[in-house]
Amino acid sequence: MSAKRKSLNVAIRDLFVGRYLTPGFMIFAGVGLSVVAFFVVRQWQQEGLNVQLQKRTDNLASSLQKNIDRNFEALLGVSDFYSVSPREVTRQEFNQLSTNILSRHPSIEALGWVPRVTNAQRAAFETVRKAQGEATFQITEQQSQGTMVRAPARAEYFPAAYIAPAGKYDLVVGFNYGSEIRRRSALEQARDTGNAIATSRLDLVSDQPGFLVALPIYQNGVPHNTLLTRRQNLKGFVISIFFLTDFVKTSLTGLDLEDLNVAFYDETPGAAENFLAFYESSRSRVLTEPTDKERLKMNSKLVCPNPTTCTRRLNVGSRQWSLLIVPTPQYLSKNKPWIAWMALASGLILTGCFAIYLLRFQRHTSRVEQLVEKLSEANFEIRSLSRITDSLQACLTLEEAYTVIPRLIQKLFPHHSGGIYAISASGNMVEAATTWGSELSSQLVFSTNDCWAIRCGRAHLFENTHSGLACQHFTQPLPAECFCVPMTAQGENLGLLFLSGSEHGKFTEAKQQLAITVAEHVALSLANLRLRETLKNQSIRDPLTGLFNRRYLEESLERELHRAERQKHSVGIIMLDIDHFKHFNDTFGHEAGDTLLQELAVFLQGSIRGSDVACRYGGEEFTLILPEASLQITQQRAEQLREGVKHLHVQYRRQPLGMVTLSLGVATSPLHGVNASTVVRAADAALYRAKQEGRDRVAIAS
């Protein structure tokens, strides 16, 4: 009893281990992988959010830089106007130009013209301005208390001559921009570099925070490509005034700032104040002078988890501004790592499902593998059939098709030898057109009555058993199995597909059907090739003589003339005509004349080289093309033909037609013409002259 119980326990243990160990292991592994996937996906999602934020930061910085550069391009328009103006720009011209620019660039608060005035020019400059209607004009400077006083004596002044829009900033007219160190520093840097230079943050009109951008204007027609010439030939500056609030709002207009806060800092070395402006996207407002409470709240919103992701540099008039783009809490809440939690939940669910159905999957594995193998084989056969069809359709002749067929069919039947047999024109003999494999097991030529497949009109399978019915064209010893498939297309039996193998059982039903399908494809392709060759011969052959017709003559002659031109050799043309051909027709009848034409065609084919072309030009006229033949050789060949045709004995209904003579005209290219029509006319004219001179002779084109 104890032994039975022990064996029962072992059986139960083996059953438990075999059935539950693998699912248990899969559950353990699935849970572990799900946890690992959770952390990996969470890290991946966080990196993805960083990449997304970095991309938005790059796009914002790029778009913002373009908007800033577009505003600064307005100064170039004023600069170009001054550069091309042959005289001093008037206030009216400046105001008109500035009005157009300000309407297109709303972020620019004002534009001004600041000329350079030396101490010696000051009195004259002020007198001219007063004469122009500004009675109280004088060059002024601002005291520490904020009041404007007459500027003391200096080496040079940079007073505001024109300010647009007019009337809004009339109090600034005459102000010496060189009297304040930050403005003067920007002017000097612009003068020395020739570029637009921005100032650091300034308190402008009504204590509005902003900055200025100065673009130097040099005297027309004088060089300013060195530091010395720039300083000597400076004419003045075009000044643009920007208020930080309007500048930031306008520059950020149209940009995607959803759930993003933006801060601007001046990182240029020596900047008096680093902070410039803060843009709060939720309220669409700009803070340039925040209170202590607002600054504390602002700083709490400017917390970036990765400074490299959030910070970008901007070039604002050669000053380095820092752009800090920080996601708001709303942005972070919308991008929580829910995908990681979903991955964890999905992993646990999938693990449970996988463990439950593991045994069922194991049961179906072998069945699926068999199905996949069959599908792979079927896919291979379909692709091979398609390749057979495409390759045969690409063949130009039957001979080319017979060289292609073995390579394609042998891949479908790697364990069999075989061949393609073609039925003769008489319909009673079958001859191997192409074969493949080591042991064909069939005669190469046999009668149609020797094959059961041809006699019955359907596929015939032979298996080397006592009940197998063998065809008479099989060779000894008989193979293990053979399969004969008649090839029929368009109602005509074209031949036979023969396959033989040395192993039993290889011709399954699927292989038999495949062989039948291959035979159908090959038969249809061969029928199309035969039809194509027939149509081609009908289009280029003369039906009576079998020689090429006039159309083929024209095509071939053009081709040979082009080849001769490239290879620098000549082409000979012989045009010949049967003398007194009408006499033959009148005496013996038109059928006798046709017989004479046929015999002459056979004579001409036997008298020319393989590279020569013999054509029936029309009626009793024939034309020969002799590539690479000089005039002397062409004349000799014509004489040989003239003498040789006299030995031609032509009979019609056992009645001799008499001796045949020819008149021949000879011409060569390029001696008598470089194109086909010219050289043919030359040979035809020579033929006509030979007839006029008494026939039975050779005449050379003049």
Side-chain angles (χ1 to χ4, degrees):
M1 181 67 69
S2 61
K4 290 183 179 179
R5 181 175 296 175
K6 185 175 181 180
S7 61
L8 179 61
N9 291 336
V10 171
I12 293 174
R13 185 189 64 188
D14 293 342
L15 179 62
F16 177 83
V17 170
R19 178 171 296 180
Y20 299 107
L21 179 61
T22 302
F25 173 76
M26 295 304 302
I27 291 175
F28 176 79
V31 172
L33 290 175
S34 298
V35 174
V36 172
F38 169 76
F39 289 102
V40 171
V41 172
R42 187 173 69 172
Q43 179 65 25
W44 167 79
Q45 190 175 8
Q46 189 62 43
E47 292 177 355
L49 292 177
N50 288 338
V51 170
Q52 180 182 359
L53 180 59
Q54 185 174 0
K55 186 176 180 180
R56 288 191 65 184
T57 303
D58 291 336
N59 292 337
L60 285 173
S62 177
S63 299
L64 188 57
Q65 184 66 64
K66 290 180 181 179
N67 290 343
I68 293 172
D69 294 341
R70 195 177 297 114
N71 288 325
F72 288 176
E73 289 174 359
L75 294 177
L76 297 177
V78 181
S79 173
D80 293 340
F81 183 73
Y82 270 89
S83 298
V84 299
S85 178
R87 54 180 175 79
E88 190 70 24
V89 177
T90 65
R91 176 191 293 273
Q92 182 180 1
E93 292 173 338
F94 182 83
N95 288 339
Q96 184 178 1
L97 175 63
S98 300
T99 301
N100 293 333
I101 293 175
L102 293 174
S103 64
R104 296 194 305 270
H105 301 275
S107 61
I108 302 178
E109 182 66 19
L111 288 173
W113 164 242
V114 178
R116 178 194 179 197
V117 180
T118 63
N119 190 35
Q121 298 170 338
R122 175 178 179 176
F125 177 76
E126 291 178 340
T127 301
V128 171
R129 296 308 303 273
K130 290 177 181 179
Q132 293 176 350
E134 301 176 40
T136 61
F137 179 85
Q138 61 178 345
I139 299 177
T140 60
E141 295 181 1
Q142 189 176 23
Q143 292 183 327
S144 58
Q145 299 88 347
T147 58
M148 291 290 186
V149 297
R150 181 176 174 80
R154 297 182 183 276
E156 58 182 1
Y157 306 89
F158 296 96
Y162 306 143
I163 296 291
K168 190 174 181 180
Y169 299 101
D170 289 344
L171 294 177
V172 186
V173 175
F175 173 68
N176 179 21
Y177 279 84
S179 61
E180 195 269 327
I181 186 170
R182 288 176 293 180
R183 292 178 174 85
R184 184 173 185 85
S185 176
L187 295 180
E188 291 177 348
Q189 187 178 355
R191 175 199 63 192
D192 293 344
T193 61
N195 299 324
I197 302 297
T199 66
S200 59
R201 172 173 170 157
L202 301 172
D203 290 330
L204 301 175
V205 180
S206 301
D207 293 332
Q208 280 271 16
F211 62 96
L212 306 177
V213 177
L215 180 66
I217 305 296
Y218 300 98
Q219 297 290 341
N220 294 340
V222 293
H224 50 272
N225 53 355
T226 64
L227 178 61
L228 181 60
T229 56
R230 290 193 188 104
R231 292 182 176 180
Q232 290 176 347
N233 300 319
L234 178 67
K235 187 175 182 180
F237 298 91
V238 177
I239 301 293
S240 60
I241 302 173
F242 295 91
F243 288 165
L244 279 173
T245 302
D246 296 337
F247 180 76
V248 171
K249 274 190 175 181
T250 307
S251 299
L252 294 176
T253 300
L255 302 184
D256 181 16
L257 292 173
E258 183 180 1
D259 299 329
L260 295 177
N261 292 327
V262 184
F264 295 87
Y265 298 91
D266 190 352
E267 301 290 348
T268 307
E273 186 173 353
N274 183 258
F275 174 77
L276 294 173
F278 170 73
Y279 180 79
E280 188 175 0
S281 62
S282 60
R283 302 175 64 180
S284 299
R285 66 169 183 167
V286 179
L287 296 178
T288 57
E289 296 288 350
T291 62
D292 293 340
K293 184 178 180 180
E294 289 176 332
R295 186 178 292 273
L296 182 63
K297 186 177 180 181
M298 180 186 69
N299 291 336
S300 66
K301 296 179 180 179
L302 294 177
V303 179
C304 179
N306 188 352
T308 305
T309 303
C310 304
T311 305
R312 294 293 182 274
R313 294 285 186 180
L314 297 175
N315 183 8
V316 182
S318 299
R319 297 193 71 83
Q320 295 299 317
W321 283 18
S322 177
L323 175 68
L324 180 61
I325 300 177
V326 183
T328 62
Q330 292 81 0
Y331 179 90
L332 298 176
S333 63
K334 292 179 182 178
N335 295 277
K336 288 184 178 179
W338 56 270
I339 298 180
W341 290 104
M342 182 178 291
L344 178 61
S346 301
L348 295 177
I349 294 173
L350 290 175
T351 299
C353 295
F354 186 76
I356 293 173
Y357 291 101
L358 181 61
L359 293 176
R360 183 177 298 179
F361 291 158
Q362 291 175 345
R363 200 177 307 141
H364 292 289
T365 298
S366 59
R367 195 176 304 170
V368 171
E369 289 178 351
Q370 294 175 0
L371 180 60
V372 169
E373 184 178 356
K374 290 181 180 179
L375 290 176
S376 299
E377 185 176 357
N379 185 40
F380 171 74
E381 292 174 355
I382 291 173
R383 287 188 286 108
S384 298
L385 285 173
S386 176
R387 186 179 178 188
I388 289 174
T389 303
D390 294 341
S391 300
L392 291 179
Q393 287 179 352
C395 292
L396 300 178
T397 61
L398 288 171
E399 290 73 15
E400 186 179 11
Y402 288 140
T403 61
V404 171
I405 288 173
R407 305 175 188 175
L408 301 176
I409 298 182
Q410 202 166 10
K411 295 180 180 179
L412 293 173
F413 304 96
H415 305 292
H416 299 85
S417 300
I420 297 293
Y421 288 79
I423 296 180
S424 63
S426 61
N428 57 2
M429 297 299 295
V430 183
E431 183 178 358
T434 181
T435 60
W436 61 89
S438 55
E439 299 179 2
L440 184 60
S441 302
S442 174
Q443 301 173 9
L444 297 180
V445 181
F446 55 88
S447 171
T448 54
N449 296 326
D450 293 340
C451 181
W452 286 106
I454 296 178
R455 291 168 64 180
C456 298
R458 62 174 180 268
H460 174 69
L461 175 64
F462 165 75
E463 295 177 324
N464 195 358
T465 60
H466 294 291
S467 60
L469 183 61
C471 296
Q472 296 182 16
H473 61 89
F474 294 166
T475 58
Q476 297 293 334
L478 292 176
E481 55 185 9
C482 293
F483 194 50
C484 300
V485 185
M487 296 191 306
T488 305
Q490 301 172 357
E492 180 184 0
N493 196 353
L494 302 179
L496 177 73
L497 169 62
F498 173 76
L499 296 170
S500 65
S502 58
E503 299 180 20
H504 289 280
K506 292 295 183 181
F507 276 115
T508 62
E509 291 186 4
K511 283 294 183 182
Q512 293 179 38
Q513 185 58 46
L514 177 62
I516 294 173
T517 305
V518 169
E520 293 174 352
H521 283 70
V522 172
L524 183 60
S525 298
L526 294 180
N528 290 335
L529 280 173
R530 285 186 177 182
L531 178 60
R532 189 189 307 171
E533 288 188 353
T534 301
L535 293 177
K536 181 179 179 181
N537 285 332
Q538 290 177 354
S539 66
I540 64 175
R541 293 281 183 179
D542 175 55
L544 176 63
T545 62
L547 298 179
F548 291 113
N549 56 21
R550 185 169 180 172
R551 173 186 173 187
Y552 185 81
L553 165 69
E554 295 171 352
E555 295 177 356
S556 300
L557 184 56
E558 286 289 351
R559 182 175 62 251
E560 292 297 335
L561 291 178
H562 285 302
R563 183 184 302 163
E565 183 179 0
R566 290 194 305 269
Q567 299 178 0
K568 306 301 181 183
H569 60 70
S570 59
V571 177
I573 302 295
I574 300 176
M575 292 198 68
L576 57 95
D577 184 273
I578 302 176
D579 294 335
H580 306 293
F581 182 72
K582 186 176 182 303
H583 172 72
F584 284 99
N585 282 335
D586 295 340
T587 304
F588 302 103
H590 289 283
E591 292 184 1
D594 292 343
T595 302
L596 176 59
L597 292 175
Q598 292 171 348
E599 292 296 330
L600 179 60
V602 173
F603 167 74
L604 292 177
Q605 286 281 39
S607 303
I608 61 176
R609 302 171 299 177
S611 60
D612 298 339
V613 179
C615 306
R616 184 183 180 188
Y617 193 72
E620 67 272 22
E621 290 189 17
F622 296 83
T623 303
L624 303 181
I625 303 175
L626 310 179
E628 301 183 21
S630 63
L631 180 61
Q632 181 181 0
I633 294 177
T634 306
Q635 182 182 5
Q636 293 175 357
R637 298 288 298 280
E639 290 290 349
Q640 293 172 0
L641 292 175
R642 187 181 68 82
E643 292 295 334
V645 77
K646 295 178 180 179
H647 303 287
L648 184 65
H649 300 287
V650 182
Q651 292 185 350
Y652 175 69
R653 294 180 182 179
R654 299 182 180 181
Q655 180 181 1
L657 301 183
M659 187 177 68
V660 180
T661 61
L662 299 176
S663 297
L664 302 96
V666 173
T668 59
S669 175
L671 180 60
H672 300 105
V674 294
N675 55 51
S677 59
T678 304
V679 71
V680 168
R681 282 198 303 268
D684 191 48
L687 171 62
Y688 183 74
R689 194 171 70 252
K691 283 184 169 295
Q692 285 184 331
E693 293 176 358
R695 295 185 174 86
D696 190 19
R697 66 190 62 227
V698 176
I700 300 176
S702 55

